[in-house]
Amino acid sequence: MLSFFRKNNTKVQKEGKESTISASDMLNESEETVSADTDIDTELSLHPSWDLSEEQGYVYRFLNNELSPLKPNQISLAPIELHRDDNGDLIAIAFVRNSLEKAITFEEVTLLLLDGEHQPIARQAFNLAELGELPGKSSRPWQFIFPHPIIMKDQYSTTDWSIAFEIKPKHALDLAESWNSSLSTEDKEKLRELVDSLTPPKVGEVNFMGMQAFKRENGDLHVTVLIRNGSPKNITIQQLPLQVTDASGEIVAKGGFQLDDLEVKANTTKPWTFIFPASILLKPEMDLSTWRVAAVQE
């Protein structure tokens, strides 16, 4: 493991402001063995692959001892140093801290590099599985590289910056006004429970899930679809070509729909009903005991 110190400087002083979140928000982990008011000191934990000089190890121990105690059930990022390398990338060094009694591991996380006014300098996803298992009540220094192309601002202070976990809000139900006014309270609650029970779409993914399909007496096929937006931004759908497949695996309906700029908010699911007139059905007699709906290329 290469030294993280800027130009092999071993006289590093801690910079920036620590950011702390609940372990339950980050990892769905919590403990109730100690009082919420208890102060918890975290012991320095170096990655097994590191090979530091005695002087570098001393510096990390000193900086770790300077950290303020955490409260129970917390995970934090405590800044050490921020600098640019020769490529213009921003290198942020910080302690990853764990106040839980047990060891924890991470997967991919999104981190925000923030200035003194809490405005973003950069945003980047990191595979924190590389950090390894972080022991209980410990702090592990780590290097985070924010590539030059994603840096949002060039002017910032290196003494009051922070690095923070971006916590994705819970995937939620988004009802159009027409649905909100027409559905009963009980039906709305059932929809929320359904959305909560489903695995959220991946970050950036937009998909469609069939919820209900039936034929009316006039032969029209009514298909209710959950439009699931895993993107951090609102999306607008102007037109949507769909096809429906019945239990036999055959396509029974296919058509394009003009949606008049239907908006699905960031990280939400919106139900919508599509009506295939009887005149365009490809298979009037269909088995809807199981069925699929999918967006298709026109």
Side-chain angles (χ1 to χ4, degrees), residues 18-287:
E18 186 166 5
S19 64
T20 303
I21 63 169
S22 165
S24 60
D25 290 341
M26 183 67 202
L27 300 171
N28 198 28
E29 297 275 4
S30 64
E31 296 173 335
E32 300 179 358
T33 56
V34 293
S35 168
D37 295 327
T38 303
D39 287 336
I40 297 177
D41 293 313
T42 51
E43 183 178 346
L44 179 65
S45 170
L46 297 177
H47 193 277
S49 68
W50 281 26
D51 184 17
L52 300 181
S53 69
E54 183 177 347
E55 188 173 11
Q56 289 173 330
Y58 170 80
V59 171
Y60 279 124
R61 285 192 295 274
F62 173 80
L63 293 175
N64 182 70
N65 290 339
E66 294 289 300
L67 296 174
S68 299
L70 295 177
K71 295 299 182 181
N73 299 310
Q74 288 187 332
I75 296 171
S76 85
L77 293 168
I80 300 174
E81 181 184 277
L82 179 66
H83 67 273
R84 283 187 184 267
D85 66 9
D86 294 338
N87 298 320
D89 299 340
L90 272 174
I91 312 299
I93 306 170
F95 287 106
V96 184
R97 308 180 68 199
N98 169 28
S99 77
L100 294 169
E101 294 273 356
K102 60 184 175 183
I104 59 174
T105 56
F106 298 88
E107 297 179 352
E108 183 174 274
V109 301
T110 299
L111 298 182
L112 296 170
L113 189 62
L114 304 169
D115 66 13
E117 282 69 49
H118 219 63
Q119 296 301 306
I121 302 171
R123 175 181 180 274
Q124 175 76 358
F126 295 89
N127 179 15
L128 268 195
E130 298 174 354
L131 180 74
E133 186 177 74
L134 184 61
K137 297 183 179 180
S138 72
S139 304
R140 178 166 291 178
W142 203 248
Q143 173 178 267
F144 303 95
I145 301 176
F146 294 86
H148 180 262
I150 69 167
I151 297 172
M152 303 176 193
K153 60 192 303 185
D154 291 321
Q155 300 298 320
Y156 50 85
S157 170
T158 59
T159 59
D160 59 2
W161 62 281
S162 61
I163 184 170
F165 292 103
E166 182 182 65
I167 302 301
K168 182 178 177 181
K170 180 183 177 182
H171 196 83
L173 176 66
D174 173 26
L175 286 179
E177 182 55 38
S178 58
W179 283 63
N180 192 50
S181 59
S182 62
L183 290 178
S184 67
T185 300
E186 182 181 359
D187 286 339
K188 292 177 190 177
E189 186 58 32
K190 287 180 179 178
L191 272 173
R192 291 191 185 93
E193 290 175 357
L194 173 61
V195 171
D196 289 345
S197 70
L198 298 173
T199 301
K202 296 178 181 178
V203 177
E205 178 184 25
V206 177
N207 63 39
F208 305 88
M209 177 178 293
M211 190 174 81
Q212 184 182 61
F214 64 92
K215 288 184 70 175
R216 300 296 296 265
E217 291 181 359
N218 64 1
D220 293 349
L221 176 63
H222 288 232
V223 177
T224 301
V225 175
L226 297 178
I227 306 174
R228 295 160 26 97
N229 178 17
S231 167
K233 298 180 180 179
N234 297 356
I235 62 170
T236 301
I237 304 175
Q238 296 178 338
Q239 55 184 9
L240 183 63
L242 293 174
Q243 71 178 30
V244 179
T245 307
D246 74 355
S248 70
E250 297 180 46
I251 297 174
V252 298
K254 189 173 183 179
F257 296 86
Q258 298 294 325
L259 297 178
D260 193 25
D261 295 336
L262 178 68
E263 183 181 62
V264 185
K265 295 176 183 177
N267 200 33
T268 68
T269 287
K270 172 168 281 183
W272 201 253
T273 297
F274 300 89
I275 301 175
F276 295 84
S279 59
I280 70 167
L281 297 183
L282 303 177
K283 185 182 175 184
E285 297 300 323
M286 58 189 71
D287 179 2

